[in-house]
Amino acid sequence: MVSLFSRVWKHKLLFVMRLTFSISLFCVLQSFAIGTFSQNARLSINQKNISVESALQLIEDKTDFYFMYSALVVDVRRTVDIEVTNKLVPEILDDIFKGTDIGYKIDGRLIALSKNGEISPPIQQQKSVSGKVTDSSGGPLPGVSVVLKGTTSGTITDSNGNYSLSGIPANATLQFSFVGMKTLEVSVGGKESINVTLTEEAIGLDEVVAVGYGTQRKADLTGAIGVVETKKLREAPTGNFMKALQGQVAGVYVKTDGSPSGAATVRIRGGSTMAGGFNDPLYIIDGIPTTSGIEQLNANDIESMQVLKDASAASIYGSRANNGVILITTKKGKAGVNKIEYSSYYTVQEYAKKLDVLNAYQRGFVNWRAAINDGLTPSSNIYNYQWHREANNVAVLDKILLPEFIDPSQTMRPADTKWIDEVSHPGFLQSQNLTLTNGSEKGTMLLSLNYFNNSGIIKETEYKKYTGRINSDYNFLKGKLKVGENLSFSKINNVEIPIGDVMYLSLVQQPVVPVHSVDSAWGGPAPGMTDRHNPVRLIEDNKQNVSNSARIFGSLYADLEIMKNLNFRSNFGIDYTERYYRKMDYTYASGFLISDISRTTMSQDHNLAWTWSNTLNYKYKKDKHSVELLAGMEAIKAQFVTFYGSREGYVIQDNNYMYLNSGTSKFLNGGGGAANSLLSYFGKLNYSFFDRYLLSATIRRDGSSRFGKENQYGIFPAFSLGWRLSEESFIKNNLSSISNLKLRAGWGKTGNQEINNEAIYSIYKTDTGIDPTWDFDSGTSYDISGSDGGAIPSGFRKIREGNSLLKWEEATQTNLGLDFGLFKQKITGSIDYFKKDTKNILIEPPYLAAKGEGGNQWVNGASLGVKGLELVLGYDTKFDNGIELSLSGSISSYKREITYLPEDVLTGYPGDPANGKSVLGHSDLAQFGYVADGLFQNQAEVDAYAAQPGKAVGRIRYNDIGGLDANGKYVNKPDGVVNALDRTWLGDPNPKFEYGININLAWKGFDCVAFFQGISGSKVYNDYKHLTDFTSIWQGTNFGTRTLDAWSSTNTGSTIPMLTLTDTNNESRYSSYFIENGSYLKLRNLQLGYTIPKRIMDYVKISSARVYIQGQNLFTIKDTKGSDRYTGVDPENPNFAYPIPRTLTLGVNLNF
Amino acid sequence: MKKINIKVKLFVSLAALVLTQISCTKDFLNLQPQASVSSDQLNTPENIEGMVMAAYAELGNDHYTAPNSLWPYADITSGDAYKGGDGTGDIQEFNWMELFKINTPNNPLLDTKWYRLYVGVSRCNEALKRLNAISDADFPNKKQRIAEMHFLRGHQYFLLKTFFNHIPWIDETIEGNDFGTVSNTALTSKQLWEKIAAEFQDGVTNLSENQSDAGRPNKFTAMAYLAKVKLFMAYEQDDNNNVTSINSSLLNEVVTLTNQVINSGKYALFSDFAYNFLWEKDKNSTESVFAIQRSINDGTPKGRLDWGSMLNYPMNPEYGCCGFHIGSQNLMNSFKTDPASGLPLFDTFNNSDVVEGADFTTNSFDVRIDHTLAVPGKPYKYDPTFIYQKGWSRSGVTYGHFASMKEVQHYKCACFQKVPPFMAASKNTDIIRFADVLLWKAEALIELSRQNEALPIINEIRTRALNSAAKLKDANGNALSNYKMDTYQPGVNCIWTKDYARTAMRWERRMEFAMEGIRFFDLVRWGIAADYLNKYFAVEMTKKQYLKDGQFTKGKHECFPIPQKQIDFSKGLYKQNVGW
């Protein structure tokens, strides 16, 4: 044994040194060629009385072969004489073992020695098999892989579904597999023709899914991995396929709006770090990591998508896996398949529901009402009131007279503008997709092109996306070396309309303001109104501002089978985004808002990230053991450069003219850069025993340029175990209805380093000032000479206090899961429980102001705990009448709470830590404020109530919760005063649970999908309410129609405070009045499709065709009762976001 | 056996793979910050000048949420002005300050102001640290620049002191965790004043008499500021903000210091009061003792304009926004004069309201009225063709129409620039103008019972004012109001006792500096804020209803509260001001 090990060590070392030498070369970016070997190597040896051991070593030294044997079986101390010249290795071996019972078998570079007869049984008689593979409808299935079980040899069906294999053992078993189909095994058993029909399988246990740096059989997974049905992504009429994930994967929460570009916020298991920190998942597209711009990927290109939710699954991506990892593999060509796919859809979008705002008369009326309520003489810059008091002193409005013009310069006649109608129109969306694939045993290729255009429901918004992809691979060395690339290109043109402003302005701009003035200029605010823009002008004056971005995203890879089951893979990826934007600001006069500035700002950003990863992967399977080992390294570098130039003073305001060169004044420019890098090593072991006991372990060590020398590296281990109970005989034999039962348990650690690149450094910068409109000037330049004109000297200001001790933020996650399938997988499901604790959270907390400027410092401060439960259920059946029904649903829930914060930063978060109401134990997003406890109904109530500045009849009563005792200590007992001490926890915007329900029906070519999605228990801060309910908070704006139903002595049932002009009760304060139930249930998707029968399509030489009609967001159910009912339009999308439209889509998918 | 063999081989390959990579790591993960400098790189003479420049720049780092012109802190809190804007909710934090009673330590804009003032302190400290370390040989300006930094730091602390009373004293020796150990009550109020005085004393000692740069203080600037500090110190207050005594020796120092400034020959009153409020005249000012230097077309993206006043323009097409800082009816009325004597109507001014129209011919007025407040029907900013109209006001129902005019500039001024939707100008913001120095002297003299020496000073101010009507004419050349003012002539139109002189001096300060961000701190210094303001609220709320909740609590509202956030961040080390 000793000899064996020493030999192995020595020889392996040589081999390893060769390999690592090569990898080292990689590191310095040298070209690389792995040492070649050849079974045809010829040797000359002349050694007498040499031990067999030495002889074998000699052969290993001179060739790439290596030996494997047991010293108990092979007597290697035996001496032999070898005299050979220019002989092949087998010939030499024949010589050495002549006359012994030792035989050898060459497998790649491995030569195994053993007793004759123990080597694989004598090769049996070989024969040929051929046949045809079809799908359940009888159509031929091209591209099905037909493999001799237990080997890698096999073939692929041709375009007619035919295959042919020769030279196979008679007792062989053939495996037929095709993505999306159940893998079928057929014993050859002497047959020469085997025709099979593959049946579809949504997510089969044998399906191979991508996991970190490799693939795994779904049955063998031990981590919490959500597999996405990518078909659903393709037909979702949206600019971002991640939106279609809403409610589809338990534990994945997607928040969207309706903007054409398809913005979506994705949270896996509630995120892992503090609000404001980096909670986005990491996307790995064909091995290249990215965290942004996911919408630039063409959904049609996606072959598979996996969501690695827990640490044991994600930890192999340790450095950035805290928030989960979404693995995306793009499609490839298939050997033997030559196919053209064309798909297209057209969508009409419309406003689901608009907010009700006052018209011009109503706006005048509520102003009058408020003044009457305040005991004032109603007056207005716009409205002239004719009113009187009746005998009982009740004021009655007789008439509102409008002036001929509402502005002093007499250009705006009073109007009754419905601003929301002026800024919106039906939107139109289309997608055209063409995919060409081709492939042979020598390689495959895929070419795809996509055009997507979405002009949303806000006028002039438009998003155009062109994407192209080339994925190809080439096989060399009899398939042992595979070289390929995945390359995508995207170009996006987006019209930069300031949507948030437009949405807000359509609510607040007064209806009496006309869109245009009488002199064809813009309408706009008149005196007495708030200084807010005409939203139509904002749209019209920005529609020429188109941002252009282009992105190249892809990788080159080489995969070499070093020896059987041992693969080396090198993958070099780039992610290059370039954005060019020319923004033109036109002069305008819009009411009293006037700008005499014509300006062009041209800016450009360059964002380059490259990733280079090298992995060694070894798979071994023998009897009951299956082992997979992976080792690798990865280097990532990201660089960012930006610059801009601007000029003013354009004599013509036209986008053909307004380039920098034409500007005559205010020549300005600016620019900056940033860079960061990561270097990582990782390893993984998967082991399965008896196909039922599964073990997976990963470890990753990551270094980040964002941390100082001492803490540059973090180590992220993970372990997981799985037990496939259903493979145990006590279940197999006794509980046959259980087709799958697996217990999973995992634990792991992941990291986060998403902070400022320069957080470890104390830095100073020159600052020539900012746009002071909304931000505080923080400049360092000063007109010290008092000359007022010409360049002025500048200095430096401190930007940040460095923290050289910064280290990785770490999340530890434990996951317990159960997968089950009943009645031959008719019913499937899984349950996962997780607990995630993030510590050393990187925060840049607010600080004591006395430190002055640049006192901000990143620290490893907070801890956050998230725990949750996820449940997925599915039911598939086929009725006798041919109707196929598939139901699936998921529900997930999590709770997020801060478990630790340094004392001195507690005040940076909600709460009142000085009085025992710190955010600890609450979500960092928790809402904290006053409890609005209805309205004072009469003076007696007011008088009897605690001291509350501004309290009066019709005003909100705030709960008196607590106060200070004689010792100045806070006690939870009303103290007769409503003040800041009475603030308390009001709610949590994190939903209590999220759910989705899919209903799929299919019958004779028809298919129907209904998808419902909802959240429950989310508390929404409805900012809109400041404007829809109050005439006092922003006196100069328009208000919601809710103000018409405000409390009055004759409308005492109302919950809306009495109208007033002055907010003396400070009702704009953060209170439960604005906190509403954000729960909703939406019919996200309803689709009806029809696959046109093949016999019809055959006439037009189309192999398959499907047409469908689809509606999205057809209805929404929200809370409409109770004091916390949602009073806005869409609880999913509160406040001033781009409204989510209702859509109707017509689509077609064709295969040629 | 085979299994073991292979596993071991793989294990070894892993190990080797890991080991061989380490050599590559060092430089790969070592990335330097971009577009910035480190602290060490700033210790060169050129860069130290840069640090000094940054400390000056903070004077001009402005925003309408915390203006350096101080109008929200001293004008709307003194009965001179209303907040203005689009109703009480528009920057409601200023509305809380205006009404006192509803203001709280959680007012975020007071926290903003506190922070910005400490930014000013920190910039001085950053410069001082480096100045202290460099040798005179390497940096011949060392002493001068140190004195300048003390001056600027003294200015920031003067503001902190008058705003918040009890403040932590942070100098250049405080570093790292020490910041959290400096309490706002470590020094008594008196000790804080002495610290502030010492900052300016350093300027008096070390600054040269002449500075080539207009923006830098000289010896006399430091004397003037020191005089101001000593004047504030002279009104000694107890722990409840009551003025308990007036310190004569400090008053004498005020007289000495102001005399030195006056006799330096460096400063003089402008011949026309208007010039103080016009960029083109103010540029090479004789009246400005110390000012924030504003600039336009200076190579920075938006200029270094007076952002603190950018909401204070009216709503007409030439401007457009936002109608903040509106003169009160009380202030308007106070410009009335006795038609016979030409002196103020100390007791009866508020008996009737002056409104636009005939009131300006039937009453008689101090000339300064039309420099200070815009009145519908009268020219705006001295332009007879540019008539201010009622329609230019933003929220006339709530706040009336008397827009502030001193800080705004004519839209045709080369100093004026739109920053859509707002606008601003590069006119310097005076921190001390010479008239102030004169009136400090007068004030000290009166409190020293030397009111007869104060009389000519007050009359000098009045004489300049009554000679400043040249620009106050309509298109026909007629005066905008019926101006009738005269100097104080004891025995002729008044009896010049100490009390009378004090009343006259205080009135004069109001007329002279109305809407310039000064008044509230005068009221507090004199110890009369509570009485004065509650009387103001009682009457003014009948004219402007939103003031009905206005109430000043004596012993509390004389200073702003220590921002609650800062108390929290200090973990309770900071103590809240009395009454809050």
Side-chain angles (χ1 to χ4, degrees), chain B residues 397-418:
Chain B
V397 178
T398 309
Y399 292 118
H401 316 286
F402 304 138
S404 174
M405 276 198 300
K406 283 180 168 179
E407 74 272 35
V408 297
Q409 295 299 302
H410 196 284
Y411 70 95
K412 287 180 178 164
C413 177
C415 63
F416 179 82
Q417 178 185 294
K418 286 273 180 102

Side-chain angles (χ1 to χ4, degrees), chain A residues 1115-1133:
Chain A
F1115 69 77
T1116 298
I1117 298 171
K1118 62 181 180 182
D1119 186 0
T1120 55
K1121 290 196 175 69
S1123 62
D1124 68 339
R1125 70 180 182 274
Y1126 189 75
T1127 59
V1129 172
D1130 183 357
E1132 184 191 1
N1133 199 22

Side-chain angles (χ1 to χ4, degrees), chain A residues 1 5 8-9 12-13 16 20 23-24 27 66-68 70 374 376 379 408 527-531 566 588 592-597 599 610 618 620 629 631-633 635-637 666 668 673-679 681 703 705 712-713 758 761 763-765 768-798 846-853 904 907 980 1033-1036 1062 1064 1066 1068, chain B residues 1-6 8-10 12-14 16-17 20-22 24-25 28-39 42 47 50-51 53-54 56-57 59 61-66 86-90 92 106 112 114-116 118-119 122-123 126 130 170 179-180 213-216 279 283 291-302 304 307 315 317 319-322 391 393-394 397 417-422 426 545 549 566 568-571 574:
Chain A
M1 291 299 280
F5 275 108
V8 166
W9 268 99
K12 247 7 268 176
L13 214 56
V16 163
T20 52
I23 292 171
S24 308
C27 194
Y66 58 96
F67 292 93
M68 193 166 60
S70 163
D374 288 346
L376 299 172
S379 65
M529 300 179 185
T530 191
D531 50 332
L566 178 66
Y588 59 84
F592 62 67
L593 298 175
I594 294 143
S595 170
D596 55 0
I597 293 174
R599 179 197 297 126
W610 58 256
Y618 180 73
Y620 179 77
L629 279 167
M633 62 80 64
I636 298 175
K637 187 158 188 182
K666 281 263 170 132
L668 292 172
N676 72 294
S677 55
L678 282 162
L679 184 64
Y681 308 95
S705 63
Q712 200 143 48
Y713 284 88
E758 294 153 3
Y761 298 102
I763 53 174
Y764 294 77
K765 285 190 180 183
T768 54
I770 39 73
D771 183 343
T773 318
W774 311 116
D775 296 321
F776 221 102
D777 204 345
S778 52
T780 54
S781 49
Y782 193 63
D783 183 22
I784 193 73
S785 69
S787 57
D788 204 349
I792 55 174
S794 182
F796 312 89
R797 71 182 183 94
K798 193 171 183 181
Y847 60 96
L848 192 65
K851 282 187 180 173
E853 197 170 32
D904 48 348
T907 43
I1033 297 177
W1034 289 100
Q1035 291 106 322
T1062 310
T1064 45
N1066 188 16
S1068 67
Chain B
M1 287 306 119
K2 291 177 190 174
K3 271 170 254 154
I4 294 169
N5 199 338
I6 284 169
V8 169
K9 287 175 178 181
L10 281 167
V12 173
S13 25
L14 292 188
L17 186 65
T20 51
Q21 291 307 317
I22 289 172
C24 319
T25 68
F28 188 72
L29 293 181
N30 184 13
L31 300 178
Q32 292 303 307
Q34 311 282 297
S36 61
V37 293
S38 69
S39 184
L42 294 173
N47 288 344
M51 297 307 286
M53 200 53 59
Y56 278 105
L59 290 176
N61 281 342
D62 225 332
H63 197 241
Y64 52 79
T65 53
D86 179 28
T88 49
D90 197 0
Q92 62 174 357
N106 291 311
T112 302
W114 171 284
Y115 171 66
R116 288 316 307 186
Y118 274 102
V119 168
S122 70
R123 286 195 179 185
E126 283 281 348
R130 295 179 166 78
I170 307 291
F179 283 105
D213 290 321
R216 297 184 199 269
W279 171 79
K283 257 184 96 170
I292 301 171
Q293 303 292 321
R294 313 282 190 179
S295 52
I296 192 166
N297 296 324
D298 54 9
T300 68
K302 305 275 178 181
R304 301 274 294 156
W307 308 129
M315 311 299 287
Y319 298 117
C321 210
C322 295
S393 63
R394 179 79 175 281
V397 178
Q417 178 185 294
K418 286 273 180 102
V419 190
F422 308 133
S426 69
Q545 206 208 337
D549 295 314
Q566 301 307 324
D568 294 344
F569 283 132
S570 76
K571 301 179 201 170
Y574 293 0

Side-chain angles (χ1 to χ4, degrees), chain B residues 380-391:
Chain B
Y380 186 82
K381 219 48 204 178
Y382 311 115
D383 180 354
T385 66
F386 190 41
I387 307 301
Y388 182 78
Q389 292 160 39
K390 219 171 174 175

Side-chain angles (χ1 to χ4, degrees), chain A residues 181-435:
Chain A
M181 300 282 185
K182 279 183 189 155
T183 298
L184 195 67
E185 290 187 5
V186 180
S187 168
V188 174
K191 292 188 283 280
E192 290 188 350
S193 169
I194 299 176
N195 295 330
V196 298
T197 299
L198 294 185
T199 52
E200 279 197 37
E201 178 181 62
I203 301 161
L205 288 175
D206 286 326
E207 187 185 340
V208 168
V209 299
V211 293
Y213 300 97
T215 57
Q216 211 172 355
R217 218 159 55 110
K218 189 152 194 284
D220 294 339
L221 295 179
T222 49
I225 297 179
V227 180
V228 179
E229 282 188 61
T230 54
K231 193 182 129 202
K232 286 183 178 142
L233 309 182
R234 282 168 226 149
E235 290 175 358
T238 160
N240 182 352
F241 61 89
M242 287 306 293
K243 282 186 177 184
L245 235 63
Q246 231 178 4
Q248 298 282 9
V249 180
V252 178
Y253 178 48
V254 183
K255 194 168 160 25
T256 75
D257 67 14
S259 69
S261 64
T265 307
V266 179
R267 291 286 174 268
I268 296 176
R269 294 188 160 177
S272 68
T273 194
M274 305 292 268
F278 192 80
N279 279 302
D280 295 339
L282 177 69
Y283 298 88
I284 308 275
I285 304 170
D286 293 327
I288 310 304
T290 184
T291 52
S292 63
I294 195 68
E295 71 279 0
Q296 291 173 34
L297 185 64
N298 175 2
N300 291 282
D301 289 347
I302 299 174
E303 171 77 40
S304 75
M305 186 161 156
Q306 271 73 246
V307 183
L308 312 185
K309 294 187 282 193
D310 75 334
S312 57
S315 157
I316 190 74
Y317 293 106
S319 57
R320 302 194 285 173
N322 261 8
N323 301 310
V325 177
I326 296 178
L327 283 182
I328 295 170
T329 310
T330 60
K331 285 180 184 167
K332 290 183 170 24
K334 290 190 181 74
V337 179
N338 188 319
K339 198 159 86 167
I340 299 175
E341 292 175 42
Y342 174 71
S343 62
S344 165
Y345 60 76
Y346 294 87
T347 299
V348 184
Q349 314 173 78
E350 60 163 22
Y351 238 103
K353 187 178 186 308
K354 293 174 184 174
L355 188 74
D356 292 327
V357 296
L358 300 173
N359 64 27
Y361 176 85
Q362 291 167 329
R363 173 65 180 77
F365 170 76
V366 296
N367 183 61
W368 175 85
R369 182 82 255 173
I372 294 290
N373 290 345
D374 288 346
L376 299 172
T377 304
S379 65
S380 155
N381 285 20
I382 308 292
Y383 301 103
N384 183 2
Y385 298 108
Q386 294 189 352
W387 63 286
H388 68 278
R389 280 190 191 277
E390 299 196 326
N392 55 6
N393 207 30
V394 170
V396 176
L397 178 62
D398 305 312
K399 207 175 193 180
I400 299 179
L401 298 176
L402 288 168
E404 189 183 355
F405 295 97
I406 61 171
D407 58 327
S409 42
Q410 308 225 317
T411 62
M412 292 191 287
R413 291 185 193 279
D416 193 2
T417 308
K418 288 189 174 62
W419 289 102
I420 197 77
D421 292 345
E422 295 293 335
V423 301
S424 61
H425 65 175
F428 186 70
L429 182 154
Q430 63 163 310
S431 167
Q432 310 297 337
N433 194 76
L434 183 68
T435 305

